Amino acid sequence: MSIQTIGVIGAGQMGNGIAHVSAQAGLTVVMQDISEAFAAKGVANIDKNLQRGVDKGKLTAEEKAAILGRIRTTTALEDLADCDIVVEAATENWVIKKQIFETLDKVCKPGAILASNTSSISITKLAAVTKRPEAVIGMHFMNPVPVMQLIEVIRGLATSDAVYQAVMALAVRLGKTPISCNDFPGFVANRILMPMINEAIYTLFEGVATVESIDGIMKLGMNHPMGPLTLADFIGLDTCLAILNVLYDGLGDPKYRPCPLLIKYVDAGWLGKKSGRGFYDYAKA
Ligand SMILES: NC(=O)c1ccc[n+]([C@@H]2O[C@H](COP(=O)([O-])OP(=O)(O)OC[C@H]3O[C@@H](n4cnc5c(N)ncnc54)[C@H](O)[C@@H]3O)[C@@H](O)[C@H]2O)c1
């Protein structure tokens, strides 16, 4: 299974990171979003991150230009028809992802792999809306994609061995370390991470400590690189809430109930770093 051209759906935090590492590994990239403005913002972010590499002497200006030259943007899913693999990284919402997978199945060439970067939504369920369930797989990159080493690879019930092997090999080609798991709500990473983040939000909600104290205690006490509330802001509070709802609904255990304070912040449009306000105020930064 030869992979030369990759489609990326969504040019947000994760999508533009996936496009970045793919183009850097020499793949041709088609990045799609619902508007040209969102796609352009994604490319601008890749440009900024690559420039950081040039400034540090890790990359030449020519290499940066060549990487950017391998990335094309579009708003039409039909433009992904010739891709060998498509990695979907749109908003964490079942209805949105279902529609994308139904359309991809129709427009993508036979044999193309359809991967999702979903944090929690069932790969098996996404596969079932296509006529190629054997070619559907989870490819869960970590944030920020150019920096983080892991790709959690999730096999749906019907994922074929050939597709699984092709995706494991692709992950290595992208300079990442793939680790696989089975398809259950939240997989491994978010099944363990989100209850910790939710508990940190409950701790704030119940007035046990301030934002800074909660993060400071977890950072210094557990030797974590950042506190759970900072991490939630970086992930996106809308994404955290969507994942907790998948855990809560999918596993039926009240221990995954999202904290009302998280719901309130998302209702207010306080989505974390990407919206300028979450548990911290990024407008000040
Ligand atoms: N943020 C994280 O830390 C993180 C980590 C791993 C995985 N993920 C997963 O990656 C996916 C994207 O998350 P993100 O943080 O990049 O979100 P984001 O909000 O930064 O970006 C989402 C992008 O998807 C686009 N989009 C929405 N509907 C679309 C559609 N119908 N077609 C094409 N594009 C569409 C939006 O315009 C936006 O640009 C989610 O499934 C999320 O769970 C996120």
Side-chain angles (χ1 to χ4, degrees):
M1 218 171 258
S2 150
I3 296 179
Q4 289 311 326
T5 304
I6 182 167
V8 179
I9 313 271
Q13 309 190 89
M14 297 305 292
N16 77 64
I18 296 165
H20 173 153
V21 297
S22 301
Q24 193 149 14
L27 295 166
T28 302
V29 181
V30 188
M31 182 166 69
Q32 186 268 356
D33 207 306
I34 46 178
S35 81
E36 272 303 341
F38 288 141
K41 198 172 157 206
V43 173
N45 202 52
I46 299 171
D47 191 321
K48 191 180 79 190
N49 288 335
L50 287 170
Q51 188 56 43
R52 214 173 283 149
V54 174
D55 294 344
K56 285 183 187 157
K58 290 183 178 166
L59 202 70
T60 66
E62 292 71 31
E63 282 165 339
K64 176 191 158 193
I67 293 166
L68 286 172
R70 282 193 284 274
I71 303 172
R72 190 154 59 82
T73 61
T74 182
T75 55
L77 284 177
E78 289 71 19
D79 287 341
L80 280 70
D82 292 330
C83 291
D84 303 310
I85 181 168
V86 177
V87 181
E88 171 279 315
T91 308
E92 186 76 348
N93 175 299
W94 163 250
V95 175
I96 292 175
K97 292 190 191 291
K98 175 178 178 280
Q99 283 168 356
I100 291 172
F101 271 74
E102 281 169 349
T103 309
L104 285 177
D105 188 35
K106 291 192 185 91
V107 302
C108 291
K109 66 183 180 187
I113 297 173
L114 305 183
S116 177
N117 182 52
T118 178
S119 302
S120 58
I121 291 172
S122 167
I123 300 302
T124 304
K125 208 167 142 189
L126 278 175
V129 307
T130 75
K131 293 193 174 65
R132 57 177 100 192
E134 72 291 344
V136 177
I137 191 161
M139 210 175 170
H140 184 210
F141 292 77
M142 303 291 128
N143 183 17
V145 179
V147 176
M148 297 293 282
Q149 192 57 38
L150 175 70
I151 299 179
E152 191 179 25
V153 174
I154 304 108
R155 292 188 72 145
L157 200 57
T159 309
S160 72
D161 286 342
V163 165
Y164 169 70
Q165 295 301 346
V167 163
M168 294 294 277
L170 174 64
V172 172
R173 213 169 130 199
L174 298 182
K176 305 295 183 192
T177 303
I179 303 183
S180 65
C181 67
N182 288 322
D183 184 22
F184 280 98
F187 320 128
V188 171
N190 284 303
R191 170 95 176 247
I192 297 171
L193 175 64
M194 281 303 147
M196 184 189 73
I197 285 178
N198 200 35
E199 202 59 32
I201 303 171
Y202 268 114
T203 310
L204 177 69
F205 183 55
E206 291 169 9
V208 179
T210 62
V211 169
E212 290 77 12
S213 296
I214 294 165
D215 273 356
I217 287 167
M218 292 303 287
K219 198 173 150 185
L220 295 179
M222 312 302 144
N223 214 9
H224 289 182
M226 67 181 76
L229 299 175
T230 302
L231 181 55
D233 271 359
F234 283 6
I235 292 169
L237 301 188
D238 53 337
T239 302
C240 291
L241 179 58
I243 298 168
L244 278 161
N245 279 326
V246 168
L247 289 169
Y248 188 42
D249 295 342
L251 298 164
D253 189 324
K255 74 179 176 184
Y256 300 110
R257 183 172 69 101
C259 177
L261 187 64
L262 174 62
I263 298 171
K264 194 171 183 176
Y265 274 33
V266 172
D267 284 345
W270 292 10
L271 307 183
K273 195 161 184 277
K274 67 183 172 185
S275 74
R277 179 73 210 240
F279 294 107
Y280 294 87
D281 188 351
Y282 299 90
K284 285 191 210 145

